[in-house]
Amino acid sequence: MGVDELYPPDRLTAARRATAAAGLDALLLTPGSDLRYLTGYDAHPGERLTCLVLPAEGEPTLIVPRLERPAAEASPAPATGVRIVDHVDGTDPYPLVVAALGGPVTAVGLADRMWAEQLLALRAALPDAAQRLAGEVLRELRIRKSPAEVAALTEAGAAIDEVHLRMGEWLRPGRTEAEVGTDIAAAIRAAGHVTVDFVIVAAGPNGASPHHGTSDRPIGAGEPVVVDIGGTMASGYRSDCTRTYLAGGGPAPADFLDYYAVLRDAQRAAVAAVRQGVTGAAVDAAAREPIAAAGFGPAFLHRTGHGIGLDGHEDPYLVAGNDRPLEAGMAFSIEPGIYLAGRHGARIEDIVVCTTDGVQRLNTTPTELIAL
Ligand code: ZN
Ligand code: ZN
Ligand code: ZN
């Protein structure tokens, strides 16, 4: 998979066309997934300004700090046709943005997660320009993944599956969540990720907190343990997979096996519901209905899933109210959970891709409860 396939130059053309169609004069993209999507440049976010200026009409310019020029030149960005302009420490880079726009502008689209200090500096440099979100334009381009992007997500899914398959090496009663988490983080890197984005090891009562992280609490014998892990590959694309384990050395809590079976059926039903034309809300309902029917409705306290790509969470979201039909190429998580406060919890998460004839799971390890 070549970099030119993953970050093809024609994205800039598509983005310029969409920018004009949205009534914007230009996009201004500081470091983040939108900049990387369009240029392949994994820019360093810092207090020095890095900004892609993409006028709807005219040439794209990538403004970078001089000390980061070599990194920008080594990235796929030059091959996409952007001109690189640098600024030295101690000079004001914002006039370079104004110059790169090539004329007066009335509305610009800013990277959705631009830092406030940059947003305010751009407002001062372009006082007559309305500021909107670049996401209005780029979300629609990013929501359907190309075959090269699906291949990159497949590679990420296989890498995180490798880590889950090794869980028995680390997850034992008496070890703390943090100790297990350290081993998992090393394995996430060893499996081919360049960064570890999150490691959740949530044992016993901590399993009832969906975004727990890790703690110094030792894992108890027979405790359910929610392990949700993910990282970013060199391609820029991300993994995210949850399995729930049962620590060895003791029996499972009385009701846990029953509700785990409900959760597993719900997760499978939601995966099976994915196909072109079905809405995100309908897939959410497919996961939620069996859980509610078993009496655990309020214990499933988050949406069923989120899109994934260059961001860990992006469109589409599988949530009540999302009436947009799924389309081939959309990639997202299916991750229902049941959380019983003060006691324990469970979650099962796979990344899947909507295909022309159904659904493809990118995480393929079994979803049965795994007793270690
Ligand atoms: Zn989450
Ligand atoms: Zn996750
Ligand atoms: Zn997720």
Side-chain angles (χ1 to χ4, degrees), residues 19 21-24 107-112 119 129-137:
T19 299
L24 292 167
V108 291
L110 307 183
D112 288 22
L119 178 146
Q131 294 180 328
R132 286 162 47 190
L133 292 176
E136 285 179 44
V137 170

Side-chain angles (χ1 to χ4, degrees), residues 156-206:
I160 208 70
D161 281 358
E162 256 184 62
V163 180
H164 271 296
L165 288 170
R166 295 181 57 195
M167 204 56 60
E169 296 176 33
W170 315 303
L171 204 167
R172 283 190 297 278
R175 299 195 78 202
T176 69
E177 294 170 348
E179 285 166 348
V180 175
T182 300
D183 290 336
I184 291 172
I188 289 174
R189 283 200 188 79
H193 298 85
V194 293
T195 59
V196 177
D197 296 332
F198 54 91
V199 176
I200 295 174
V201 181
N206 292 335

Side-chain angles (χ1 to χ4, degrees), residues 198 228 240 242 335 349:
F198 54 91
D228 186 356
D240 182 2
T242 309
E335 53 176 310
E349 174 180 26

Side-chain angles (χ1 to χ4, degrees), residues 210-211 228 306 313 335 347:
H211 277 176
D228 186 356
H306 54 82
H313 289 189
E335 53 176 310
R347 180 165 63 256

Side-chain angles (χ1 to χ4, degrees), residues 45 98 131 135 142 153 200 229 241 263 300 328 336 353 371:
V98 176
Q131 294 180 328
R142 288 176 52 181
L153 284 167
I200 295 174
I229 52 179
C241 182
L263 178 66
F300 177 13
V353 181

Side-chain angles (χ1 to χ4, degrees), residues 32-106:
S33 56
D34 285 334
L35 174 60
R36 190 166 191 183
Y37 179 77
L38 293 183
T39 66
Y41 182 34
D42 181 19
H44 171 72
E47 77 290 358
R48 295 178 172 100
L49 183 72
T50 293
C51 185
L52 175 69
V53 179
L54 183 67
E57 317 281 345
E59 293 310 305
T61 305
L62 181 60
I63 296 165
V64 301
R66 180 161 296 171
L67 79 170
E68 288 170 15
R69 184 173 192 119
E73 283 176 344
S75 81
T80 63
V82 301
R83 182 173 64 103
I84 297 176
V85 168
D86 64 37
H87 56 94
V88 294
D89 288 349
T91 63
D92 178 6
Y94 288 91
L96 297 176
V97 175
V98 176
L101 285 166
V105 289
T106 57

Side-chain angles (χ1 to χ4, degrees), residues 254-296:
D255 51 349
F256 178 76
L257 297 179
D258 293 336
Y259 80 74
Y260 188 86
V262 170
L263 178 66
R264 180 164 179 252
D265 288 347
Q267 200 265 353
R268 283 153 66 114
V271 171
V274 173
R275 83 182 73 87
Q276 289 188 95
V278 169
T279 66
V283 177
D284 181 75
R288 207 164 294 281
E289 277 159 13
I291 291 173
F296 294 102

